Amino acid sequence: MGFDLNSFLAFIIFGVTIGVVYGIVALGISLIYSGLDIVHFAHGEMYMFGAFFGLVLADNVGLPYPVALVGAMIITAIVGMSVERVFYRRLTRAGGGYTVAGMGMIICGFGMSVAMVNVAYFIWGAEAEPFRANLDYIPRLQFPGDIEVPESYVLTAIISVILMIGLHYFLRYTKPGLAVRAVAHNKDIAYLMGINVPLMISLIFGVACALAAAAGVLIGPMQSVQVEMGYLMLMKAFAAAVVGGFGSLPGAIIGGIMVGVFENLGAAYISASHKDIYAFLLLILVLMVKPSGLFGVEAKVKA
Amino acid sequence: MLQVNDVHAGYGNLKILRGVDMSISDGGIVTLLGGNGTGKSTLLKAISGLIPLMKGQITFDGVDISNLKPHERVRLGIVQVTQAKEAYPAMSVEENLVLGAYTRKDREATKADLERVYDFFPVLRERRKQMSGTLSGGEVQMLVIGRGMMAKPKMLMLDEPSAALAPKVVLEIFANINRIAKSGVTILVVEQNVRMALILAQYGYIIRDGIILIEGIADKLIKDPSVKESFLGGSVADVSRGLNNK
Ligand SMILES: Nc1ncnc2c1ncn2[C@@H]1O[C@H](COP(=O)(O)OP(=O)(O)O)[C@@H](O)[C@H]1O
Ligand SMILES: [Mg+2]
């Protein structure tokens, strides 16, 4: 098989689009990590719940896709904030990171992941459900050389960019955003600035879960929605976060794009049946060269 | 203004403060002195709410604040600047100062206070767009004090503002602490530099092993032989001259 530049470019385009979605989930994981000092292992399930909420809102309730997207983000944010408040708060208050409570938090995250999967089985069953989004009003993109990008990918790219700009604006230019950055850097100092730290932690968690939900609703129409979808997403988003440098927000996006492109190229040119391995191959390669990840520096939060 | 009654506090099960009493009235500068590890910072944290009380009570302007969260105490006007000199390194100098005014809604007055901080510490104005991670130690100390001013405190607590700074910078900072006090803010300043602190302050507490050992008018403490023993360097004349220049 000779090298075909057009299909190479197509793989890149699809890789970037999927990668941005990985990046959005990774962004949430990084936000939670910098804000709460915990690695949230149930984040894949927030993504899965978000996808189901979107599906229910769009296909069962019949809301327009963008409305369903926003709705799913809001509901998932509320679910996430409740989970944090009820199950995680006690442990995070005792200290995250390397403390015994931090260890407990990891176990707690795993447990939450299993619990959420089972709740989802109970509600939605084991079948993979197609997400029929009406996207006729979105143009297909036609690139020179017969590359056609389907609507769902175009939409994903647009919405992802909007979300990233929105998050950047929020963190950079709004007062709660400033407070979130302050909390992420140092909770005691944030407290002494008069910031309601527990409230900001809820907010961080909510935003991170809303981002995961958005990713779920975006991926839904490309693949299908099923209970076990969270696990693989978590792994890829982790790979993205680590490749980019854990805790770095731009790093999460760049890491996501790298994972997406790498796995698409791997699937195309090496072997399609091992598609899910490439993310970790990339992870190992990057860590061998730069153990802190590409954008991983000492300071924890960079908006 | 501030009443500390039989306060016991510490970290986890470790008790550091073992019955501290303190009474600070409106206006002026009060200093809290004592050797390393005697519980000075711990007492400030108990007052600002960063650590919970095990026993005792703290009231501020007659209100029992013992169970309030730190951010609620800030709203009442109690502001602590920690010993760690922590600015947010990834934020500009001005962002740090704006963050200091987080609880305030009075935009015009906040702007005026920003100008006032820049007048007090001109170097901060020069560096206002710079990331605070690039500042020198003295500049960071000025920034965190300025950030404390931005909260419009009634009582400002400073934890070792002179630590690890050049004498010239220390004088500038002390002079500005004096100016802040003159503007009507009550100051509680923790110091290792006993002589300078007692010249700056009107009243002093000396803490040892988690209890107040001696308290009294600063002028008296400075002549007290038991206090004199712990004096370290810094001549009275130098400090007085430095303070009077401002
Ligand atoms: N976060 C902490 N956890 C446990 N012990 C602490 C902590 N901070 C300070 N201590 C201990 O409390 C005692 C008093 O500390 P501190 O109040 O910081 O002293 P200083 O008078 O020098 O400010 C010290 O013995 C110190 O080791
Ligand atoms: Mg101290």
Side-chain angles (χ1 to χ4, degrees), chain A residues 88-222:
Chain A
Y88 298 163
R89 183 66 61 91
R90 217 174 281 273
L91 284 163
T92 50
R93 201 164 32 199
Y98 305 109
T99 59
V100 174
M103 202 52 218
M105 189 53 232
I106 291 177
I107 311 285
C108 190
F110 272 125
M112 185 53 58
S113 158
V114 173
M116 287 182 74
V117 163
N118 281 287
V119 169
Y121 269 126
F122 182 75
I123 304 176
W124 292 296
E127 302 272 298
E129 303 212 23
F131 193 142
R132 284 175 297 273
N134 175 13
L135 302 173
D136 294 344
Y137 49 91
I138 307 286
R140 284 172 166 258
L141 272 193
Q142 200 71 44
F143 283 93
D146 264 356
I147 305 172
E148 200 185 58
V149 181
E151 299 90 333
S152 57
Y153 281 77
V154 176
L155 191 71
T156 297
I158 295 171
I159 291 178
S160 304
V161 170
I162 293 174
L163 287 174
M164 285 185 289
I165 292 175
L167 185 70
H168 179 76
Y169 180 85
F170 169 73
L171 289 173
R172 267 280 121 170
Y173 301 107
T174 71
K175 213 167 152 181
L178 198 61
V180 163
R181 283 159 63 201
V183 170
H185 182 75
N186 184 323
K187 285 177 202 48
D188 278 359
I189 307 288
Y191 252 137
L192 295 177
M193 300 290 104
I195 294 167
N196 186 340
V197 173
L199 185 74
M200 285 304 142
I201 285 180
S202 281
L203 182 67
I204 290 173
F205 215 84
V207 168
C209 290
L211 288 172
V217 179
L218 290 173
I219 293 281
M222 298 181 193

Side-chain angles (χ1 to χ4, degrees), chain B residues 41 83 159-160:
Chain B
S41 299
Q83 190 174 355
D159 200 343
E160 299 200 24

Side-chain angles (χ1 to χ4, degrees), chain A residues 175 181-182 185-186 190 195, chain B residues 69 71 86 88 91 102 147:
Chain A
K175 213 167 152 181
R181 283 159 63 201
H185 182 75
N186 184 323
I195 294 167
Chain B
K69 287 261 159 56
H71 66 273
E86 269 223 72
Y88 289 108
M91 293 182 196
Y102 184 78
R147 194 172 61 183

Side-chain angles (χ1 to χ4, degrees), chain B residues 109-217:
Chain B
T110 306
K111 259 203 191 126
D113 276 349
L114 185 64
E115 286 308 311
R116 197 166 72 107
V117 170
Y118 286 149
D119 287 343
F120 275 38
F121 303 107
V123 67
L124 296 182
R125 189 196 303 276
E126 279 166 40
R127 307 223 186 287
R128 66 175 189 272
K129 297 277 173 253
Q130 225 165 294
M131 289 296 126
S132 65
T134 65
L135 300 183
S136 73
E139 290 162 351
V140 172
Q141 185 62 62
M142 295 176 198
L143 176 58
V144 293
I145 293 176
R147 194 172 61 183
M149 289 167 68
M150 291 301 292
K152 205 178 176 183
K154 287 187 187 155
M155 187 176 84
L156 184 62
M157 299 190 284
L158 304 170
D159 200 343
E160 299 200 24
S162 74
L165 299 180
K168 204 166 154 264
V169 182
V170 172
L171 275 183
E172 183 182 350
I173 284 175
F174 272 39
N176 277 311
I177 293 174
N178 216 11
R179 282 172 85 186
I180 298 171
K182 290 237 166 70
S183 74
V185 179
T186 307
I187 307 253
L188 173 57
V189 56
V190 166
E191 264 302 331
Q192 296 257 12
N193 195 332
V194 176
R195 179 181 287 267
M196 281 189 76
L198 286 174
I199 291 166
L200 179 74
Q202 288 89 49
Y203 201 85
Y205 288 87
I206 295 173
I207 187 172
R208 198 161 95 193
D209 293 336
I211 49 170
I212 300 295
L213 201 66
I214 314 174
E215 64 169 283
I217 311 280

Side-chain angles (χ1 to χ4, degrees), chain B residues 11 14 16 35-42 45 83:
Chain B
Y11 306 92
L14 178 68
I16 304 294
N36 242 327
T38 50
K40 302 182 299 293
S41 299
T42 306
K45 286 184 225 168
Q83 190 174 355

